[in-house]
Amino acid sequence: MKEYILLMFSAALVNNVILGRFLGLCPTMGVTTRLDAAVGMGMATTFVMTVSALAGWTVNTLLLAPFELGYLRTITFILIIASTVQFTELVVKKVSPALFQLLGIYLPLITTNCAVLGIALLLVDARMSILSSVLFAIGSAMGFSLVLVIFAGLRERLAVMDVPRLFAGPPIAFIVVSLLALAFMGFSGMGAS
Amino acid sequence: MDELAHSTPDFSAPTMVEGIAQVVKIEGKTAWLVPEQGSSCGSCASANACGSKGIGTTASRLDNRRFRIDNDANLAVGERVVFGIRDNVLLKASITAYAIPLATLVLAGSLAQWMFGSDTITMAALFVGLVIGLGISRMEAGRLQTRGDLAPLFLRRARPGETCNS
């Protein structure tokens, strides 16, 4: 139990997917202008990242590893992620058309999120068990969502601040995210890597 | 100090997520609307290079997101309106659609790992947990919809040239 908690803590904070591994920077800058968009994107990414980690582990263990098809891993995982996004979109639409209207906009953007592919590939390299893989993916996605929400909150406040004209917009956002990365460095060395 | 307090926005106040939509059909006292693309997708500066455009056409995606509201304001086809959803609705919807299936997936996987200690059985349990979670999500979404919690509200007619980013 302790091992799993440390694994998730490490994935979320110590090796944060955005501020530690520098993956998923596109949605970090693109979808954090509003807090509600950041929450929607974070939850959708958590779901897709977890399901694609599960599907990726399954395909790798049952198909790629036994038949020595490791060289097809990247392209297979891209296919799995795209299929997972489409599956999620179909399921949300089937579960509730009203939910699809609210959340559907964030789903296609996840297909091109390198963090999802990065985590799926990391899991295979780390040779984790299935449960550890899923929990690691959830931890990473929670870290991703946490940074999106923190950054969106900061940007909502920045929008009403008197920022010098030279720094207004993306420059001050990059400065803020770099300060956030420095803050997250405080977690270095804690938990399991 | 007082001046500062008055000039600072109240971030704790309940807010609404606003969007702009166009009326495409009127059916009695119901108006069907298609939302205009928001800043998250399609109308950002990099829209032409956006990878998400490859999945379905913009028109088909917008048509999929058609929704209806009560036409108490006598709206006409072609009119642009500002609609709103309460910001906690998005969180509620996200939890219903994503968090419930994830929770059942982890619960089923953890139980299987604890009871059998086999990766193959855990894998099967994770998929079963996901399917059960999606079933629960469906029931919960139906309940929210029946209560009207997910319904968008008509706020006002959009001003000429008004966009969701303006």
Side-chain angles (χ1 to χ4, degrees), chain B residues 30-48:
Chain B
T30 304
W32 285 90
L33 289 90
V34 169
E36 291 184 0
Q37 289 284 63
S39 58
S40 302
C41 178
S43 62
C44 65
S46 58
N48 289 334

Side-chain angles (χ1 to χ4, degrees), chain A residues 36 86 89 99 101-102, chain B residues 55 61 65-66 85 90:
Chain A
D36 55 279
Q86 287 293 291
E89 201 164 31
L99 286 185
Q101 281 160 15
L102 290 170
Chain B
I55 305 166
R61 296 191 62 75
R65 302 186 66 230
R66 214 152 77 130
I85 47 168
L90 195 65

Side-chain angles (χ1 to χ4, degrees), chain A residues 32-91:
Chain A
T32 50
T33 47
R34 280 179 10 204
L35 194 57
D36 55 279
V39 171
M41 185 61 159
M43 296 287 278
T45 307
T46 304
F47 186 81
V48 171
M49 208 181 261
T50 309
V51 175
S52 51
L54 172 60
W57 190 95
T58 307
V59 169
N60 187 66
T61 309
L62 300 182
L63 198 68
L64 299 182
F67 294 100
E68 295 180 354
L69 297 171
Y71 59 93
L72 290 176
R73 192 176 293 149
T74 306
I75 199 161
T76 308
F77 281 12
I78 290 171
L79 193 67
I80 288 172
I81 291 164
S83 311
T84 307
V85 170
Q86 287 293 291
F87 163 79
T88 309
E89 201 164 31
L90 284 173
V91 166

Side-chain angles (χ1 to χ4, degrees), chain B residues 102-114:
Chain B
L102 282 182
T104 53
L105 176 147
V106 171
L107 192 67
S110 306
L111 272 176
Q113 184 75 27
W114 177 63

